[in-house]
């Protein structure tokens, strides 16, 4: 073992010396622990129960719940890191293809009560199905705990309901509205029914909703007002879908929590009661830290964040567009015209933040420029074959800690976000193969995925039209 560790240390020194010969004095680098990331994920125990401890943690006027990472939420026993990673990439490709279709076909389309800042726990999702992250909330009176997909690209919040004409399997018992004293069906002529995309349909005097997702999954049912409970905070009269016809791979989740930018999303319905603010922190695998979802200005707006403007797509209000204008490698901005990232008046292009996409996608021109600059700054890395959608991979099996060039996003009005090294050079197997975690997109749409967002407190101030990236405050 001692001989092996000495070999790794010598290899790392040799790598850093190679970098110095290519002008590292003009390039910004940060450390990446190859050994820690590559060799602690040989086999992941996913056999834990889906029942989370009910331990509450109070911090700075916010409440969070204990979290379990996505890879520990499955009931399928032990799986290798590579097995789980391949499944994630398959989901990812479906998500991105669906987003492109949705935006291509886009067409355009509250409630009042006092609310304190509240929060709940984000749990990374399981191997198959829609959604990468989940949260447990209480639905109804008395509240019944249900795991819900968290999606910043969707507006309608819904849950599978009895009687269920067509339902998929879920972990929790299916919600029975007959057992809730606060469940109230919404009439066809109500304001809420008119706010649904393409307006809600009418059935027996009750408002009917229908949502179709990227992979063809769908939910249909009745729109209703219901109470939701986030930890110890109850939110009354939230318009949600009570799904009686549901089809798709939503893993074991009971439904979906819509956190998009539209008026029917949970964020839109809460409105001024939360100051139009919410935020989330996505934990990295193996980090041992918790992820969380918080609402309210005190909880969702951290100090020390950099703030970038939110843009509005005139044809689709669900997605959170940011003013991305450029990319940097090693502290140097690469040559990509700002027009490549621009959101047009017709709703084309632009850059969105998305919790449901894993790998950041960039227009081909931007990706190729980023890749070329990164490769030119890493000539000391031994190259490896391409893996899945990643075409820039390295064999770092002989290294312990390496220095990698920084990668940054540049936003309009000047802010720069430099990513942690483990957010863009990631292990793809247990043998020491690492790949650049970006991919090209034939579409003009840029998507900042959840791999690049991990370990960063992402906040939204919808009142002032800003998105923030700051240190973990969860």
């Amino acid at each position: 073992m001692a001989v092996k560790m000495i070999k790794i240390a010598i290899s790392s020194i040799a790598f850093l010396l190679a970098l110095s010969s290519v002008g590292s004095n003009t390039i910004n680098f940060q450390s990446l622990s190859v050994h820690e990331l590559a060799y602690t994920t040989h086999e992941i125990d996913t056999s834990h129960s889906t029942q989370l401890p009910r331990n509450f943690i109070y911090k700075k006027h916010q409440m969070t719940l204990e979290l379990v990472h996505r890879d520990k939420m499955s009931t399928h026993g032990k799986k290798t890191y590579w097995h789980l990673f391949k499944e994630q990439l398959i989901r990812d490709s479906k998500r991105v293809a669906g987003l492109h279709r949705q935006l291509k076909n886009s067409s355009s389309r509250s409630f009042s009560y006092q609310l304190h800042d509240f929060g709940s726990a984000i749990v990374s999702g399981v191997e198959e199905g829609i959604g990468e992250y989940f949260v447990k909330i209480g639905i109804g009176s008395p509240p019944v705990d249900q795991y819900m997909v968290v999606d910043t690209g969707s507006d309608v919040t819904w849950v599978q309901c009895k009687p269920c004409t067509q339902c998929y399997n879920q972990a929790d018992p299916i919600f029975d509205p007959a057992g809730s004293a606060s469940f109230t069906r919404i009439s066809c002529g109500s304001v809420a029914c008119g706010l649904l995309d393409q307006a809600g349909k009418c059935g027996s005097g009750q408002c009917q909703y229908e949502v179709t997702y990227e992979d063809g999954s769908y939910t249909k049912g009745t729109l209703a007002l219901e109470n939701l409970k986030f930890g110890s905070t109850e939110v009354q009269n939230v318009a949600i879908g009570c799904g009686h016809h549901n089809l798709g791979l939503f893993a074991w989740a009971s439904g979906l929590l819509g956190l998009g930018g539209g008026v029917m999303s949970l964020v839109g319905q809460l409105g001024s009661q939360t100051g139009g603010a919410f935020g989330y922190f996505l934990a990295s695998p193996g980090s041992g830290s918790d992820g969380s979802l918080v609402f309210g200005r005190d909880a969702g707006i951290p100090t020390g964040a950099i703030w970038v403007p939110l843009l509005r797509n005139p044809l689709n209000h669900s997605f959170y567009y940011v003013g991305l204008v450029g990319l940097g490698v090693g502290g140097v901005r690469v040559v990509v015209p700002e027009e490549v990232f621009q959101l047009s008046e017709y709703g084309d292009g632009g850059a969105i933040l998305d919790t449901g996409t894993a790998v950041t996608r960039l227009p081909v021109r931007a990706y190729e420029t980023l890749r070329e600059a990164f490769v030119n700054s890493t000539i000391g890395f031994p190259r490896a074959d391409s893996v899945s959608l990643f075409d820039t991979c390295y064999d770092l099996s002989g290294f312990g800690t390496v220095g990698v060039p920084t990668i940054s996003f540049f936003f309009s009005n000047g802010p720069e976000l430099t990513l942690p090294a483990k957010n863009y050079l990631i292990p793809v197997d247990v043998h020491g193969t690492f790949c650049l975690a970006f991919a090209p997109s034939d579409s003009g749409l840029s998507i900042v995925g959840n791999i690049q967002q991990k370990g960063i407190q992402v906040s939204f101030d919808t009142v002032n039209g800003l998105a923030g990236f700051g240190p973990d405050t969860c």
Side-chain angles (χ1 to χ4, degrees):
M1 177 64 72
V3 173
K4 182 178 180 182
M5 293 304 294
I6 292 172
K7 179 180 178 182
I8 291 175
I10 292 174
S11 298
S12 299
I13 294 171
F15 169 75
L16 292 172
L17 288 174
L19 285 177
S20 66
S21 68
V22 295
S24 63
N25 59 318
T26 61
I27 299 176
N28 295 335
F29 292 89
Q30 54 183 328
S31 295
L32 179 75
S33 177
V34 174
H35 191 268
E36 177 184 348
L37 292 174
Y39 301 111
T40 58
T41 53
H42 279 75
E43 192 175 64
I44 299 174
D45 187 356
T46 62
S47 59
H48 295 271
S49 168
T50 57
Q51 298 301 314
L52 292 180
R54 299 306 300 271
N55 294 335
F56 299 108
I57 303 171
Y58 294 89
K59 295 181 181 179
K60 298 179 181 178
H61 310 295
Q62 65 177 291
M63 185 200 66
T64 64
L65 301 175
E66 263 191 296
L67 294 179
V68 177
H69 188 266
R70 58 163 294 178
D71 295 333
K72 294 182 179 180
M73 297 305 297
S74 171
T75 57
H76 299 303
K78 293 184 177 181
K79 288 193 174 184
T80 65
Y81 172 85
W82 174 232
H83 182 91
L84 295 171
F85 188 69
K86 284 194 297 184
E87 290 178 331
Q88 182 183 45
L89 293 181
I90 293 172
R91 292 194 309 272
D92 205 47
S93 296
K94 292 180 179 179
R95 170 78 173 189
V96 171
L99 290 179
H100 290 163
R101 289 194 301 271
Q102 182 178 346
L103 288 169
K104 185 176 180 180
N105 299 322
S106 284
S107 59
S108 3
R109 278 284 148 250
S110 324
F111 308 90
S112 96
Y113 36 82
Q114 188 59 40
L115 185 72
H116 301 288
D117 291 339
F118 63 93
S120 193
I122 286 185
V123 179
S124 285
V126 293
E127 306 79 31
E128 67 280 327
I130 289 178
E132 294 297 306
Y133 291 90
F134 299 79
V135 62
K136 175 176 276 192
I137 66 174
I139 300 178
S141 301
V144 178
D145 283 347
Q146 303 280 312
Y147 274 115
M148 308 282 279
V149 173
V150 171
D151 192 356
T152 55
S154 299
D155 287 339
V156 176
T157 294
W158 60 270
V159 64
Q160 292 200 117
C161 282
K162 292 182 178 180
C164 212
T165 305
Q166 178 180 350
C167 280
Y168 57 85
N169 292 329
Q170 63 178 57
D172 298 309
I174 293 177
F175 178 70
D176 185 358
S180 173
S182 52
F183 184 87
T184 305
R185 290 176 174 81
I186 292 177
S187 66
C188 299
S190 69
V191 173
C193 192
L195 290 175
L196 289 171
D197 286 342
Q198 301 173 347
K201 298 179 181 179
C202 193
S204 302
Q206 299 172 0
C207 183
Q208 306 294 307
Y209 80 96
E210 178 178 348
V211 181
T212 302
Y213 295 97
E214 297 84 18
D215 66 346
S217 301
Y218 64 81
T219 175
K220 303 177 184 179
T222 303
L223 197 66
L225 296 180
E226 184 56 289
N227 295 352
L228 304 182
K229 193 169 185 179
F230 298 81
S232 61
T233 301
E234 185 177 65
V235 182
Q236 298 180 344
N237 296 326
V238 178
I240 68 170
C242 187
H244 302 294
H245 305 266
N246 313 294
L247 178 66
L249 297 175
F250 293 94
W252 37 259
S254 303
L256 183 142
L257 193 69
L259 299 179
V263 293
M264 280 298 290
S265 78
L266 180 62
V267 180
Q269 291 191 54
L270 296 180
S272 61
Q273 304 305 313
T274 57
F278 77 101
Y280 56 81
F281 173 79
L282 307 180
S284 301
S287 67
S289 61
D290 293 343
S292 64
L293 171 68
V294 293
F295 294 85
R297 302 197 68 80
D298 289 343
I301 305 296
T303 58
I306 66 166
W307 294 97
V308 304
L310 284 172
L311 307 179
R312 200 73 166 167
N313 184 337
L315 299 182
N316 191 308
H317 295 167
S318 297
F319 297 107
Y320 293 100
Y321 285 82
V322 290
L324 181 66
V325 296
L327 305 167
V329 175
V332 179
R333 187 164 173 172
V334 299
V335 181
V336 180
E338 293 187 10
E339 293 75 21
V340 171
F341 306 104
Q342 193 168 34
L343 175 64
S344 77
E345 60 180 315
Y346 304 107
D348 300 320
I352 65 173
L353 299 174
D354 186 39
T355 56
T357 300
V359 179
T360 290
R361 301 307 204 277
L362 298 170
V364 173
R365 182 175 181 181
Y367 171 74
E368 290 180 345
T369 303
L370 175 76
R371 178 187 60 189
E372 180 180 4
F374 189 83
V375 169
N376 289 341
S377 301
T378 55
I379 62 172
F381 283 128
R383 293 298 295 269
D385 293 336
S386 299
V387 176
S388 186
L389 52 77
F390 302 124
D391 60 14
T392 305
C393 300
Y394 302 91
D395 178 8
L396 301 183
S397 58
F399 300 95
T401 300
V402 297
V404 296
T406 58
I407 288 183
S408 303
F409 294 131
F410 290 90
F411 298 95
S412 53
N413 300 330
E416 176 184 355
L417 173 64
T418 299
L419 300 174
K422 63 182 178 181
N423 285 24
Y424 57 86
L425 196 61
I426 64 172
V428 296
D429 59 26
V430 295
H431 306 297
T433 304
F434 281 67
C435 295
L436 182 64
F438 290 82
S441 169
D442 293 331
S443 162
L445 177 69
S446 298
I447 307 172
V448 180
N450 61 54
I451 289 178
Q452 281 64 45
Q453 297 180 51
K454 288 178 180 178
I456 299 170
Q457 177 77 11
V458 181
S459 305
F460 297 91
D461 179 354
T462 61
V463 171
N464 295 301
L466 297 170
F469 305 96
D472 170 24
T473 61
C474 303

